[in-house]
Amino acid sequence: YSSIKDIADKVGFSGGGGVIMDVHTGEIIALTSYPEFSSQVMSDKTDKNLVTKYLTDKNTPFLDRVIDGQYIPGSIVKPFVALAALKENIIDPTTNIVGTAYISIKNQYDPTKETIFRDWKAHGLVNMRRAIAVSSDVYFYEVGGGYKDQKGLGITKLDQYFRLFGFGKKIESSFFTGASGAVPNPDWKAKTFNGEPWRLGDTYLTAIGQYAFQVTPIQVVRAVASLANSGAILRPTIVKTDQGEVESQVDMPESNFRIIREGMRMGALEGTGTSLNVPYVKVATKSGTAELGVTTENVNSWMTGFFPYDNPKYAFAVVMERGSRHNLIGAGAAMRELLDWMSVNTPEYFK
C-alpha cells in the first residue's frame, strides 16, 4: 500500500491496486487498494464529515481495485496471445517479424486511403521472445489479426484463449467474486453499437489489450500464475494451504509455457521491465501502458510477473490508475519499492 501510494502521490495517479499470489496453491499473500477508507470510522458512525468526504471522493476509496476495479489491460495480455499463436501453429517462435513503427491497411470506406496502426516505437527484427520482452505492438497485430503473408489468430480464437485464462468472467469464489471484466468480440460490438460489424482493426487493438478490453487485477494475477505453473488456473484463497484447488487446466505443451517465461525474463533483463532487474531475486515481467479515452493523454500503468524465475513461487499484478502518459515511472516503480523492502524485511519469499 505504501509503495503504491508513494508513486501515486509523486506523479499523480488517481489510485492503484496490487496483489501477490502463490502460483501453486492460489493463496493470496498480499492484496491492497489505494486510496482506502478507515473501517473504524465507518463502525463508529461519529465522524459524519469524513464519511461524507469518502462518499464524494472522485478517487473512490470504497472501490476494491483488485477485485472490482475494471481496467484496460494494454500489453500485459500479449503473453496469452503468444501462447495462443503457439498452440494454433500461427508462427514459429524463432520467426522474425520486422517491427516497424506502424502497419497500415486499406480504408474500407475510401480505398485511396490507409488506416494506420502504430507501435510505441520501431523495434527492428523481433521473434516471439523478444516481442514479449520489448512489447512490440506490430508483432502482436500481425499474429493476432494477420498481415500480408503472416497468418493471424482472428478474433474468434483470441476470444477463446483469453477466456481460457479466465478473462471476461467472474471468479466463482465467495471472497474474490467481483467484476467480470470484458473481452470484446463481434457479438459484443453488435449489441453495444447497434449492429456495427467487427473490423480487422478491432482485432488488432484487442490483440494488444486495447479497444474495449477490461480486466481486474485478481483475474490478471491468476492468469499470470498459470504462466508460471504451466497452465493451472487456481481458485484464489485467503486460507493457507499446501495444495491449491485447480479450477481448470490449460492444455498446452510445457515447451510453450517455457518460451513465454523466457520472453518475460528477457523483459526484466533488457525489455520494458528492467526496473525489476534486481540483484537479490530473478524476476520475470510483462508491463503494460493502457491508453484511456479519445485523447489518450491518460493511461493505466501495469506491471505483472512472477518470481523467482528459475523456480516460480509468486505471481504479482500491480496497476496504477489514470496518470499522465508522460510519466516516466508507474507500476514498475511501485513493485520495485516493494521488492526492495522485501529484500531487507522478508527475504524468505525469494528463496
Side-chain angles (χ1 to χ4, degrees):
Y1 181 87
S2 298
S3 298
I4 290 171
K5 181 180 185 300
D6 181 46
I7 299 304
D9 291 347
K10 279 181 179 178
V11 297
F13 286 98
S14 64
V19 57
I20 303 176
M21 178 190 224
D22 187 307
V23 305
H24 302 295
T25 68
E27 180 190 356
I28 301 299
I29 67 167
L31 184 155
T32 192
S33 179
Y34 168 78
E36 66 178 359
F37 63 94
S38 167
S39 57
Q40 190 63 50
V41 167
M42 303 304 293
S43 299
D44 292 342
K45 302 178 183 178
T46 56
D47 193 336
K48 292 183 178 179
N49 290 333
L50 184 52
V51 172
T52 299
K53 182 179 178 182
Y54 287 156
L55 291 168
T56 57
D57 189 338
K58 65 179 182 179
N59 291 335
T60 58
F62 289 119
L63 175 66
D64 184 334
R65 284 163 163 80
V66 172
I67 297 174
D68 282 310
Q70 300 186 90
Y71 302 98
I72 298 172
S75 295
I76 61 173
V77 305
K78 290 173 180 175
F80 307 100
V81 177
L83 270 175
L86 290 173
K87 179 68 172 179
E88 297 295 325
N89 295 313
I90 294 296
I91 191 170
D92 185 282
T94 62
T95 298
N96 284 310
I97 285 177
V98 180
T100 55
Y102 65 90
I103 61 172
S104 62
I105 58 175
K106 292 294 182 184
N107 186 309
Q108 69 178 96
Y109 299 107
D110 185 349
T112 66
K113 296 181 179 179
E114 294 184 329
T115 301
I116 304 296
F117 295 89
R118 300 189 183 280
D119 207 327
W120 66 279
K121 66 177 290 187
H123 298 285
L125 290 175
V126 290
N127 60 24
M128 183 172 284
R129 292 174 179 84
R130 183 158 181 79
I132 292 170
V134 301
S135 203
S136 167
D137 287 341
V138 163
Y139 184 95
F140 288 98
Y141 290 150
E142 295 195 20
V143 300
Y147 184 69
K148 295 183 178 179
D149 294 332
Q150 175 58 54
K151 182 182 177 183
L153 284 158
I155 190 57
T156 300
K157 288 294 184 183
L158 283 170
D159 181 72
Q160 172 188 331
Y161 281 95
F162 284 138
R163 294 180 189 279
L164 196 63
F165 285 95
F167 298 116
K169 53 187 178 182
K170 289 184 177 182
I171 293 174
E172 297 301 329
S173 171
S174 60
F175 192 83
F176 293 102
T177 296
S180 60
V183 178
N185 59 36
D187 288 341
W188 168 86
K189 186 178 182 182
K191 291 175 183 177
T192 306
F193 295 104
N194 195 29
E196 273 199 34
W198 188 266
R199 298 184 176 89
L200 177 57
D202 301 330
T203 302
Y204 284 161
L205 295 178
T206 301
I208 64 165
Q210 289 284 163
Y211 195 40
F213 215 139
Q214 290 192 321
V215 299
T216 65
I218 192 72
Q219 290 175 330
V220 171
V221 78
R222 184 169 74 153
V224 172
S226 76
L227 299 177
N229 66 30
S230 299
I233 306 296
L234 300 168
R235 183 180 295 276
T237 179
I238 56 171
V239 177
K240 188 171 181 63
T241 175
D242 293 329
Q243 185 171 357
E245 182 179 347
V246 179
E247 290 190 357
S248 61
Q249 178 70 41
V250 179
D251 181 20
M252 291 190 188
E254 167 63 21
S255 58
N256 290 4
F257 286 102
R258 186 169 60 250
I259 289 165
I260 304 307
R261 292 194 292 263
E262 288 169 355
M264 293 176 70
R265 176 58 181 159
M266 189 184 297
L269 292 174
E270 58 186 75
T272 59
T274 53
S275 61
L276 302 190
N277 184 17
V278 293
Y280 44 79
V281 65
K282 291 181 180 179
V283 184
T285 67
K286 185 68 199 80
S287 66
T289 303
E291 297 176 338
L292 308 178
V294 176
T295 64
T296 69
E297 282 300 303
N298 291 314
V299 298
N300 293 332
S301 172
W302 286 91
M303 185 59 78
T304 67
F306 58 87
F307 60 86
Y309 169 69
D310 294 318
N311 182 26
K313 293 182 179 179
Y314 301 104
F316 61 87
V318 180
V319 62
M320 299 300 297
E321 177 185 305
R322 192 169 286 276
S324 169
R325 68 176 298 120
H326 304 294
N327 286 339
L328 297 179
I329 62 174
M335 191 63 197
R336 173 61 181 265
E337 278 195 17
L338 176 63
L339 291 176
D340 285 346
W341 182 91
M342 291 174 68
S343 71
V344 175
N345 296 280
T346 59
E348 62 270 21
Y349 286 99
F350 297 152
K351 296 177 181 177

